Amino acid sequence: MKREFETLSDGSIIYNFNNFKEILSERGKNKNIILIEHVILALLNSIDKKPIYGRTMFMKQIFLTYNEILSGKNFKTQNPHFVPYYYGPFSFLVSKTIDDLELDGCIERFGLKNSKIETFIISKKGKGKYSKSVVFRKSMIIDEIKQKRIGWDQLGTEGILRYVYTYYPNFRNKSVIKNRFKEITWGAAGR
Amino acid sequence: MKLKIGNIEEDKKNLNFETRTLKIKGDEGIIKTPIRGMNNQELKSKEKVPTEVSMMSDFSVIFRNFTSNESYKILTDNNYVKNLIAFIESYKIRMQHSSFIFSFLQPYQKVFNDIHFNKEKFLRISLNIQREAGLKYVGFPWLNAPSNEVIKLYDAYQRELNDQQEPIFTIDAGTHPLELEKIIEYVKKLNETGRVNFLGILYKKTRSALPSYDMLWEKLKDSNLGIILLNVDRESFNMDNLSSSHVQEFILGDIMVTKINRFFAGDNPPEPKPIQSNLKFFNQEDLRLLTINKFKDNSWINKVSNCFSKKDDIEHVLKNYMEAENDDLKKLILNSISKTHEFLTSSDEFKNSQKFIDSNETSEYIKGKNILSKNLIQIKSKKLTQFTV
């Protein structure tokens, strides 16, 4: 069957109903794919008693998990379609999945939405779901996620933005705060 | 909360040292001292380091000194206090992976010269600020007052804390030993009941407070009270640039917290120096802070870079360090690398020394560090002179 689709600006693809059913049945055969919800739950579960503070921090940590832990490891992953946005890399799909996981009771959210004191923590139900995920079986990356999450949490929101803007300059162009972080290059090669 | 003495070792005859290990039950098992605590400035430095790095410490310390003007604002300015609470909260979040988070809001010594400064009000509001920020451990500032007044105020306000909050009193090592002794007796009594487990001590240069350090060691060495040495100089200029934290390890202190430097508009700017005689790195082998022109060759670049997981990022910056000569932003980055590197390697060195102290081999450790050993012996001769005066 010929697939009909439309591609959105963030790279997401809209299929018609029949194509979508076909894709779902294909996905059912491939249980080894790491879905966005697995990544979110793995990040929260890595240090399960300590929350992630702030939506911006959460989004950037998911972005870094994809780019610095999962990439180059030959895993099949669902593409989160990160795009440059007001505060650097942003994924509408990740944002939607976070909301869905909260609604499903897998994530507990406290504090004022979109404030620095908004916190995200994994629930008992979320732990159950995570334990059945592909990531859970990959102990090597679990340790890496834990180690990196400590470093990212320590940076604070300002620090993680500086880090992302330094190492992923392609995601700066739409940012409303890019001028806060001056680009510094060292050496003639300008690294 | 459980704190227990590991081992105590003293040698007043030859190498002149006093030290101990303490075991503290933390979130993820037993923590051993002597150890380096991480202050908020060190955590801030990490932000500027152009690579990823985790700074693990079981003890994180938020420390703020206040000028007269700032202390007055704490007593009168709602907005200033609101921002201070937000400052503490933001660091509390970033320090959440430490087992213990302490905070200390301390007026500078000069503030106490103003006889109208309301110490009790400062104490009350500073405690309220920490409680509002949701801290479990509440730091009581040193009030620079006679011991009976300090004890009276500390006692009244520690009773106002609930059972979930624990007071940490602060004393100044430069205070007369007889005055300090009375406060120590009071703190020890509360320690026996389990109400108090830690004591903050504001560092004074070793040689300027020897009788006080001596008394404090004698009174505290066998107590289950964790000694947080605050505001420790980064290096001792009169001790061959030894790291002061690593000297204090053999004088007094379980948790060493480095001083947070502040510069004020009225300060004379330091004389400009070429970067080679200005940029310093901690040398783990001899425990000194050395400017880069003191290292034999460029091997320091490799040594420093090796401490970071993405070695190449740091190596590239350090190889081009000369670019910072006339660039303040680049200087800031180099200083941040220096402080972060010092935190990582110094923490590692404390772990190394703990093994020697625990197995009664402190002498071997000190003998292996020639410059430390020479300076500890020199303190002894100074000590004898002071006591005979």
Side-chain angles (χ1 to χ4, degrees):
Chain A
M1 186 191 304
K2 187 183 170 236
R3 282 180 176 172
E4 290 171 21
F5 56 81
E6 183 188 341
T7 305
L8 300 182
S9 58
D10 71 347
S12 302
I13 300 168
I14 298 179
Y15 295 97
N16 68 28
F17 183 69
N18 287 334
N19 292 154
F20 181 63
K21 276 205 304 187
E22 188 189 335
I23 288 163
L24 275 187
S25 69
E26 278 172 16
R27 180 171 288 176
K29 287 175 209 157
N30 188 357
K31 290 203 167 109
N32 282 327
I33 191 163
I34 297 176
L35 300 176
I36 292 170
E37 64 180 31
H38 298 158
V39 178
I40 293 169
L41 293 174
L43 193 59
L44 289 174
N45 192 70
S46 62
I47 306 167
D48 58 352
K49 287 185 179 65
K50 307 278 167 89
I52 292 179
Y53 285 82
R55 208 165 270 260
T56 305
M57 171 64 96
F58 199 8
M59 182 64 74
K60 302 304 170 247
Q61 290 203 14
I62 294 163
F63 172 76
L64 291 173
T65 306
Y66 269 97
N67 282 279
E68 305 201 347
I69 300 174
L70 298 175
S71 81
K73 286 202 171 68
N74 217 13
F75 294 144
K76 274 188 183 171
T77 55
Q78 180 187 1
N79 188 346
H81 296 292
F82 275 98
V83 290
Y85 212 50
Y86 300 148
Y87 295 95
F90 183 83
S91 159
F92 292 91
L93 212 46
V94 167
S95 183
K96 168 97 177 39
T97 311
I98 291 172
D99 289 344
D100 290 349
L101 284 169
E102 187 198 341
L103 199 66
D104 194 27
C106 292
I107 290 179
E108 288 178 31
R109 191 179 62 80
F110 302 94
L112 188 66
K113 197 168 182 177
N114 290 323
S115 75
K116 281 183 185 171
I117 53 160
E118 185 183 16
T119 58
F120 301 89
I121 200 155
I122 193 165
S123 67
K124 204 175 164 190
K125 187 176 179 189
K127 278 174 165 291
K129 188 166 196 165
Y130 169 67
S131 68
K132 291 177 195 129
S133 77
V134 191
V135 187
F136 184 72
R137 296 196 295 271
K138 301 189 187 299
S139 60
M140 182 186 76
I141 58 165
I142 290 170
D143 290 344
E144 203 178 340
I145 292 173
K146 183 179 175 179
Q147 198 56 37
K148 295 221 182 202
R149 206 196 119 182
I150 292 171
W152 295 333
D153 282 347
Q154 284 181 337
L155 283 170
T157 307
E158 190 79 0
I160 204 161
L161 284 170
R162 183 190 307 279
Y163 182 86
V164 167
Y165 282 32
T166 304
Y167 285 95
Y168 303 91
N170 296 344
F171 288 88
R172 284 173 72 107
N173 57 344
K174 271 197 181 170
S175 171
V176 290
I177 52 164
K178 61 184 169 198
N179 295 333
R180 275 216 312 248
F181 308 102
K182 201 178 164 192
E183 262 187 280
I184 299 165
T185 52
W186 296 79
R191 188 161 144 186
Chain B
M1 163 70 64
K2 273 188 182 166
L3 287 88
K4 208 177 157 209
I5 301 280
N7 191 31
I8 304 171
E9 226 195 336
E10 298 174 277
D11 173 4
K12 295 189 178 179
K13 199 174 166 191
N14 300 311
L15 289 168
N16 187 35
F17 67 82
E18 300 150 345
T19 193
R20 69 174 188 173
T21 54
L22 195 63
K23 290 174 184 169
I24 302 165
K25 199 172 174 300
D27 283 352
E28 289 184 16
I30 302 294
I31 303 162
K32 255 192 197 175
T33 73
I35 194 171
R36 191 174 172 116
M38 175 174 64
N39 71 34
N40 46 290
Q41 197 174 55
E42 284 165 330
L43 195 54
K44 182 91 187 147
S45 287
K46 168 201 146 101
E47 222 182 89
K48 304 268 183 333
V49 173
T51 189
E52 59 167 72
V53 49
S54 300
M55 289 166 71
M56 279 313 294
S57 176
D58 289 302
F59 294 92
S60 284
V61 177
I62 304 163
F63 189 93
R64 280 281 290 262
N65 266 132
F66 298 94
T67 61
S68 296
N69 188 27
E70 290 163 343
S71 301
Y72 182 70
K73 279 183 180 171
I74 286 188
L75 306 185
T76 57
D77 187 332
N78 290 334
N79 213 31
Y80 186 80
V81 169
K82 190 184 95 184
N83 290 338
L84 188 55
I85 295 168
F87 169 86
I88 296 172
E89 280 174 339
S90 73
Y91 273 104
K92 191 184 129 202
I93 289 171
R94 291 170 64 177
M95 292 169 166
Q96 66 165 329
H97 297 293
S98 293
S99 297
F100 297 90
I101 303 171
F102 302 141
S103 86
F104 297 91
L105 307 175
Q106 180 63 45
Y108 279 110
Q109 187 66 27
K110 275 184 191 169
V111 177
F112 298 112
N113 294 342
D114 176 3
I115 54 163
H116 299 297
F117 176 63
N118 191 333
K119 293 172 184 177
E120 183 174 355
K121 194 172 175 188
F122 184 91
L123 171 65
R124 188 172 62 243
I125 296 177
S126 72
L127 301 184
N128 285 341
I129 288 170
Q130 295 173 75
R131 291 160 79 179
E132 187 62 30
L135 291 167
K136 182 184 174 195
Y137 295 93
V138 182
F140 281 52
W142 168 242
L143 296 170
N144 198 44
S147 55
N148 56 348
E149 194 184 327
V150 171
I151 294 168
K152 198 176 149 199
L153 286 171
Y154 278 5
D155 199 54
Y157 283 95
Q158 68 88 11
R159 287 173 195 275
E160 289 195 359
L161 302 181
N162 65 36
D163 292 344
Q164 304 305 312
Q165 295 161 331
E166 190 177 314
I168 304 183
F169 304 126
T170 308
I171 56 169
D172 185 327
T175 308
H176 194 289
L178 291 176
E179 281 294 287
L180 285 183
E181 201 171 343
K182 291 174 196 160
I183 302 172
I184 294 299
E185 291 305 332
Y186 163 74
V187 178
K188 280 177 79 171
K189 270 185 202 157
L190 285 185
N191 177 230
E192 280 160 20
T193 66
R195 178 68 175 136
V196 169
N197 288 293
F198 296 96
L199 171 69
I201 299 182
L202 293 168
Y203 166 86
K204 281 289 170 298
K205 284 185 174 45
T206 319
R207 289 174 189 185
S208 65
L210 277 173
S212 292
Y213 280 126
D214 186 77
M215 182 281 293
L216 289 168
W217 169 255
E218 290 303 325
K219 290 282 172 188
L220 295 172
K221 66 181 174 188
D222 53 5
S223 76
N224 293 327
L225 196 61
I227 302 167
I228 312 159
L229 203 67
L230 298 159
N231 242 3
V232 183
D233 286 337
R234 192 174 183 205
E235 60 185 309
S236 298
F237 292 106
N238 58 359
M239 291 190 190
D240 301 310
N241 304 89
L242 277 168
S243 156
S244 305
S245 293
H246 288 279
V247 175
Q248 275 303 135
E249 183 180 2
F250 301 103
I251 293 165
L252 182 80
D254 300 311
I255 303 145
M256 315 294 175
V257 185
T258 311
K259 186 177 184 172
I260 293 180
N261 287 314
R262 289 181 66 186
F263 297 98
F264 299 99
D267 287 351
N268 290 329
E271 215 174 288
K273 285 184 196 168
I275 196 142
Q276 294 97 326
S277 52
N278 200 12
L279 180 63
K280 290 170 183 177
F281 285 98
F282 176 64
N283 188 29
Q284 197 172 346
E285 284 93 60
D286 65 8
L287 309 178
R288 289 200 295 165
L289 274 121
L290 297 175
T291 51
I292 54 179
N293 58 2
K294 298 257 173 68
F295 287 92
K296 283 177 198 156
D297 47 36
N298 272 352
S299 59
W300 64 273
I301 293 178
N302 203 28
K303 251 186 203 172
V304 173
S305 317
N306 277 337
C307 289
F308 295 88
S309 55
K310 285 187 181 172
K311 183 190 168 195
D312 294 351
D313 292 342
I314 298 298
E315 194 175 52
H316 178 72
V317 171
L318 295 181
K319 275 181 178 167
N320 293 290
Y321 74 89
M322 282 303 291
E323 290 177 15
E325 189 77 86
N326 298 309
D327 185 330
D328 287 344
L329 218 52
K330 286 189 171 176
K331 253 183 217 154
L332 190 67
I333 290 174
L334 290 177
N335 283 329
S336 299
I337 295 174
S338 164
K339 280 189 183 163
T340 307
H341 166 262
E342 181 186 338
F343 179 85
L344 297 171
T345 46
S346 166
S347 300
D348 187 49
E349 186 59 30
F350 274 113
K351 275 187 195 145
N352 181 30
S353 66
Q354 283 168 11
K355 291 176 208 151
F356 286 88
I357 301 167
D358 254 347
S359 49
N360 284 318
E361 287 177 350
T362 308
S363 301
E364 295 308 308
Y365 176 81
I366 293 173
K367 280 178 195 164
K369 309 277 184 193
N370 291 338
I371 299 164
L372 175 69
S373 147
K374 184 191 95 182
N375 277 282
L376 285 174
I377 292 168
Q378 276 175 6
I379 294 173
K380 184 182 178 186
S381 57
K382 184 91 177 171
K383 205 181 218 173
L384 289 172
T385 317
Q386 287 213 357
F387 280 130
T388 50
V389 170

